[in-house]
Amino acid sequence: MGLQYDAMVAGGLAGVSVDIALFPLDTIKTRMQSPKGFVASGGFRGMYSGLLSAAAGSFPNAALFFCVYESSKPVFVEKFGQENASLAQMTAGAFGEAAACLVRVPTENVKQKLQAGLYKRTSTALKGIIETQGLSGFYTGYSITLLREIPFSMIQFPLWEGLKLKVGDFMDRPDKSVASWESAACGSCSGGIAAAVTTPLDVIKTRLMLGKDVNGKAYTGPVSTFRRIVAEEGASALLSGIQPRVMWISIGGFVFFGAYEKAKKMIAPLMTDGALTH
């Protein structure tokens, strides 16, 4: 399995671009999902709280995902057969997310605590997590994040790949290639659908990472948190923040996949004699 270094660099650049550009929408989503509610968590104040944490994790997170995804996808296509390409893409996406979450979860823990107003500065958040939970506190919510991200990718990436093929066919291109903006539009559609379907998992993940409800009672696990949300707030609370989440990921998908395809095309000529692809 040859490592796809062009995909790694392009993915990292795309990740930084979208996370910085659309950070305020992510902050709104987090505050809507907070047990304290949107206004008590900060409302529209400090919309860039946690940006440093997000930016620091964006490049390695997205780079690691695309390196694993693009490198493993041909292996799974060979294993499952071209007729099962969607299954290969789903499996590659799951492997990519499992790797990327090693970087994403610590970043999310710090970022969401800052967004929800639990800490004022990144340094204070880092110190607070270590003092109250130890180093393992940075991986609070790892299992539910995987449980959210793997289904998300298993929906998004086959849809993205499939839509690109449809666009290539529609445009009657022999190689079924797509322009960067066409890939961006496909990414926007697939991302919005995946975001809506996985919103309940995102709500549970947010509550676990924030740690406690408004009364100071700790959330203890995905299943327990799910039951408490439904019992105390009603099933509709599992869709808290769905509008900004879908909007953020749809717009983000356009920016992300457009930047990814453009960056890959720009980087490809630099890969002389395959020196950086194996």
Side-chain angles (χ1 to χ4, degrees), residues 36-269:
K36 294 191 298 182
F38 177 74
V39 176
S41 295
F44 289 104
R45 301 186 306 276
M47 296 301 288
Y48 284 92
S49 297
L51 178 61
L52 179 61
S53 171
S58 291
F59 189 95
N61 169 31
L64 191 55
F65 173 84
F66 271 104
C67 182
V68 174
Y69 177 75
E70 295 287 8
S71 299
S72 63
K73 185 171 63 174
V75 176
F76 291 122
V77 169
E78 183 178 350
K79 182 178 179 61
F80 299 140
Q82 189 60 49
E83 68 277 9
N84 295 311
S86 293
L87 179 58
Q89 293 153 6
M90 292 168 70
T91 308
F95 273 79
E97 289 296 354
C101 279
L102 294 172
V103 175
R104 182 179 301 139
V105 173
T107 300
E108 285 276 303
N109 267 297
V110 176
K111 180 195 74 174
Q112 292 201 320
K113 285 177 171 61
L114 288 163
Q115 288 175 324
L118 301 182
Y119 298 100
K120 297 298 182 184
R121 294 191 298 272
T122 299
S123 59
T124 310
L126 292 169
K127 184 179 178 182
I129 291 170
I130 292 172
E131 288 180 348
T132 58
Q133 299 171 278
L135 291 176
S136 63
F138 290 104
Y139 282 92
T140 298
Y142 182 79
S143 59
I144 188 60
T145 303
L146 273 182
L147 193 60
R148 178 197 70 175
E149 296 296 346
I150 288 177
F152 183 92
S153 286
M154 292 177 77
I155 295 168
Q156 183 184 37
F157 280 87
L159 273 176
W160 175 58
E161 302 271 16
L163 286 171
K164 286 198 299 178
L165 286 175
K166 294 292 185 185
V167 170
D169 282 337
F170 180 78
M171 300 301 290
D172 199 26
R173 296 176 182 137
D175 59 355
K176 297 185 179 181
S177 63
V178 294
S180 297
W181 73 269
E182 292 168 339
S183 177
C186 294
S188 178
C189 292
S190 61
I193 293 169
V197 172
T198 57
T199 294
L201 296 173
D202 189 54
V203 172
I204 295 169
K205 184 221 67 163
T206 298
R207 296 296 179 88
L208 283 168
M209 287 187 171
L210 294 180
K212 301 175 182 178
D213 64 13
V214 288
N215 299 313
K217 184 178 179 182
Y219 293 107
T220 56
V223 175
S224 171
T225 301
F226 169 79
R227 289 173 176 166
R228 279 181 58 187
I229 292 171
V230 173
E232 297 170 7
E233 304 172 53
S236 62
L238 291 169
L239 296 178
S240 298
I242 188 171
Q243 298 94 336
R245 175 170 164 79
V246 171
M247 182 186 300
W248 165 54
I249 293 178
S250 294
I251 299 171
F254 190 93
V255 176
F256 184 85
F257 285 105
Y260 174 70
E261 293 284 5
K262 190 70 174 178
K264 267 191 83 174
K265 290 174 182 177
M266 292 174 65
I267 293 167

